[in-house]
Amino acid sequence: MSLNEAMRQKTGVTPDLAAGRRGEASRPAGQAAEASGAGQATESLAESKQLMEKVCKRENLIRALAQVKRNRGAAGVDGMGVQQLSGYLKEHWPVIRERLLAGQYQPQPVRRVEIPKPGGAGKRKLGIPCVLDRFIQQALLQVLGPIFEPTFSESSFGFRAQRSAHQAVARAQSYIAEGHRWVVDLDLAQFFDRVNHDILMSRVVRQVHDKRVLGLIRRYLQAGVLEHGLVQATVEGTPQGGPLSPLLSNILLTDLDRELERRGHRFVRYADDCNIYVKSERAGQRVKASITRFLGQRLKLQVNEAKSAVAPPWERKFLGFSFTPAEQPKRRIASQALERFKQRVGALTRRNQGRSLGEVIEHLARYLRGWRGYFGFCETPTVLRDLDSWIRHRLRSLVWKQWQRGTRRYSELRARGIHPRLAAQTAGSAHGPWRLAHSQALHQALPTALFIRLGLPRLHVPRPA
């Protein structure tokens, strides 16, 4: 069985989907940069005008379909789910492909949904494209990403291969350690809703010369939004929720990166979250004012003055982290992130949910593992140890509440080896579950080892000596 056949069986892509030119070998990375001479330059220009053929190539489409399936996600305006996409493509892909290659494909409007912002500060608007458009956008992204990646700044970390939020936080930490102990924390007001289409497309056209691809991108930007049963035209913005939007945001904000580099600033940008590190408050205020003007005049973007500030880095948060004020700063979890964590764990460990301890831990463990994978990057282990203790305290409190009556509480404690006198004293106490969760009896009856055996992950994992 060939590799392509194996991939097709895995993803559900049919031969109809893969129809297109065969036997095309991709050029080695860097070949265009190494090429010299008029003939090679002409070939490169010709290839740049055939991007839609690359988008519709079999291997690219197989990768795109597999990625859309991995991402899952909600249905768009047509109600089609991810699980239905393969069957739809089997029947309709030849016509869709013909429209794409002719530059005539028209995307559907996105479905507008609102989700709470972190901390409950208002709502964030997302635009959910239909699953077919997510598939086509993903195929576009896989072709356009490598074209634009070399043009991006070394200080840009968001939505890029081999780059992460952890790397961005570590870079910020290194600037603080170098003595740049003031940060210009810029918050762009409703960035994804206010992207100017003409300015964005003028940046895209610098690298993309296939008019069909350029037209398709603009049609995605202007596809409209379905909200409250009505389709509204979109004259600005790039909807959050589509695979292509992160790349487009990086393309536009590269202008900001280059301006900061031209001025010699130390900065870190993750999507629309940009921090600039300077050595004094006065310098920070000057930079903030000038960059605010630059963003307004060059990119038609506004800085949210209420959320932006010039301050010591340990008074601000960046990607969920903050820093200690020591000469060699340590990464710590921002207070807002800790508060959101406690709210989420509190909801998962409510005392009245009617689940067994094992069921509660099963649901809790999924959240804790994901949270630890990100915030375990902090360098303040005491905070993680305290959170571990707090979680176990909540679980002991939950179990004590579920035992309900004094007679059952006494028998449960005795069954777990608690001395009769201590069991009777604890079971007959008038104190509430939270206070009794601190008691000697409950710590002995529900020890840490029990929670570990039931699958509760530890947030603080001691490093081997």
Side-chain angles (χ1 to χ4, degrees), residues 2-51:
S2 69
L3 175 61
N4 286 335
E5 288 172 338
M7 292 179 69
R8 186 165 68 251
Q9 286 189 8
K10 180 179 180 182
T11 59
V13 180
T14 67
D16 292 337
L17 170 64
R21 296 192 301 170
R22 304 286 180 97
E24 299 179 6
S26 60
R27 297 195 306 163
Q31 181 175 323
E34 296 171 2
S36 61
Q40 289 160 318
T42 302
E43 181 183 358
S44 177
L45 179 61
E47 287 184 352
S48 73
K49 293 183 178 181
Q50 299 295 315
L51 289 182

Side-chain angles (χ1 to χ4, degrees), residues 96 99-100 103-109 130 132-133 136 215-216 218-224:
I96 297 169
R99 289 176 181 170
L100 287 169
Q104 298 173 348
Y105 178 79
Q106 181 61 50
Q108 297 189 59
C130 69
L132 173 61
D133 284 324
I136 296 173
L216 181 58
R218 185 175 281 276
R219 287 194 293 276
Y220 271 121
L221 293 173
Q222 298 177 340

Side-chain angles (χ1 to χ4, degrees), residues 95-403:
V95 174
I96 297 169
R97 178 179 181 274
E98 183 179 344
R99 289 176 181 170
L100 287 169
L101 292 175
Q104 298 173 348
Y105 178 79
Q106 181 61 50
Q108 297 189 59
V110 300
R111 181 169 65 88
R112 172 63 51 79
V113 297
E114 294 184 348
I115 62 172
K117 288 186 177 180
K123 299 280 188 178
R124 174 175 287 121
K125 294 182 177 181
L126 298 182
I128 308 299
C130 69
V131 67
L132 173 61
D133 284 324
R134 295 209 295 273
F135 166 68
I136 296 173
Q137 284 193 35
Q138 181 64 36
L140 273 172
L141 174 64
Q142 291 167 183
V143 170
L144 296 179
I147 294 173
F148 283 96
E149 178 63 28
T151 71
F152 293 153
S153 168
E154 281 298 308
S155 296
S156 166
F157 291 87
F159 308 114
R160 296 178 62 187
Q162 309 302 319
R163 286 174 171 256
S164 68
H166 286 173
Q167 292 174 334
V169 173
R171 178 73 64 86
Q173 183 181 14
S174 70
Y175 291 149
I176 301 168
E178 290 172 2
H180 299 81
R181 300 174 74 81
W182 287 85
V183 61
V184 182
D185 185 356
L186 293 177
D187 182 276
L188 298 181
Q190 297 179 313
F191 168 72
F192 285 94
D193 295 329
R194 292 184 174 175
V195 169
N196 183 285
H197 292 171
D198 291 334
I199 294 175
L200 172 59
M201 292 305 300
S202 72
R203 274 51 174 179
V204 175
V205 78
R206 293 172 182 173
Q207 303 293 326
V208 176
H209 304 107
D210 189 324
K211 293 182 179 180
R212 297 165 299 175
V213 172
L214 293 170
L216 181 58
I217 294 173
R218 185 175 281 276
R219 287 194 293 276
Y220 271 121
L221 293 173
Q222 298 177 340
V225 175
L226 178 66
E227 190 172 19
H228 306 305
L230 299 174
V231 175
Q232 303 174 5
T234 47
V235 296
E236 62 178 0
T238 173
Q240 297 185 68
L244 204 54
S245 291
L247 175 65
L248 296 178
S249 70
N250 274 335
I251 292 171
L252 182 65
L253 289 175
T254 294
D255 275 27
L256 170 62
D257 298 340
R258 296 309 178 200
E259 179 66 15
L260 293 171
E261 290 171 347
R262 186 186 68 79
R263 299 184 186 191
H265 290 309
R266 289 163 174 79
F267 71 98
V268 183
R269 184 177 65 78
Y270 192 96
D272 59 331
D273 197 345
C274 184
N275 279 6
I276 309 164
Y277 294 87
V278 296
K279 290 191 172 181
S280 70
E281 182 178 12
R282 183 177 180 182
Q285 295 293 354
R286 185 169 61 249
V287 168
K288 179 175 177 289
S290 61
I291 292 300
T292 297
R293 287 195 300 272
F294 171 84
L295 288 167
Q297 295 170 3
R298 180 74 66 85
L299 301 179
K300 307 298 183 186
L301 296 173
Q302 295 181 4
V303 170
N304 186 333
E305 293 290 345
K307 294 184 178 180
S308 301
V310 177
W314 41 91
E315 294 180 3
R316 306 293 294 178
K317 65 178 178 68
F318 181 54
L319 302 177
F321 291 91
S322 187
F323 304 94
T324 64
E327 184 176 349
Q328 292 299 319
K330 300 292 185 182
R331 299 183 295 271
R332 65 184 181 189
I333 305 170
S335 58
Q336 299 93 325
L338 286 174
E339 181 62 29
R340 288 196 297 271
F341 172 81
K342 289 193 170 185
Q343 289 175 357
R344 179 61 174 152
V345 172
L348 290 170
T349 57
R350 291 194 312 270
R351 301 173 195 164
N352 60 350
Q353 55 185 306
R355 289 177 176 168
S356 69
L357 178 61
E359 291 174 321
V360 171
I361 289 178
E362 181 182 353
H363 287 81
L364 181 61
R366 288 197 288 268
Y367 173 71
L368 293 181
R369 280 191 288 266
W371 191 90
R372 182 182 63 188
Y374 185 76
F375 286 104
F377 190 59
C378 76
E379 297 175 308
T380 50
T382 300
V383 173
L384 298 180
R385 284 195 295 265
D386 290 345
L387 289 175
D388 277 331
S389 177
W390 176 77
I391 291 168
R392 291 192 296 270
H393 189 84
R394 286 198 62 88
L395 292 174
R396 291 186 182 106
S397 177
L398 179 150
V399 172
W400 188 250
K401 177 70 172 179
Q402 288 181 341
W403 287 346

Side-chain angles (χ1 to χ4, degrees), residues 51-121:
L51 289 182
M52 190 61 81
E53 280 73 16
K54 291 185 177 181
V55 171
C56 293
K57 280 185 67 173
R58 171 184 192 155
E59 293 80 4
N60 188 54
L61 296 173
I62 290 172
R63 287 175 52 213
L65 181 58
Q67 186 61 48
V68 169
K69 287 184 174 182
R70 281 193 295 270
N71 291 343
R72 294 179 290 186
V77 296
D78 59 359
M80 185 193 304
V82 172
Q83 68 279 2
Q84 301 168 275
L85 179 58
S86 294
Y88 183 86
L89 290 173
K90 182 177 181 179
E91 182 177 354
H92 298 285
W93 176 248
V95 174
I96 297 169
R97 178 179 181 274
E98 183 179 344
R99 289 176 181 170
L100 287 169
L101 292 175
Q104 298 173 348
Y105 178 79
Q106 181 61 50
Q108 297 189 59
V110 300
R111 181 169 65 88
R112 172 63 51 79
V113 297
E114 294 184 348
I115 62 172
K117 288 186 177 180

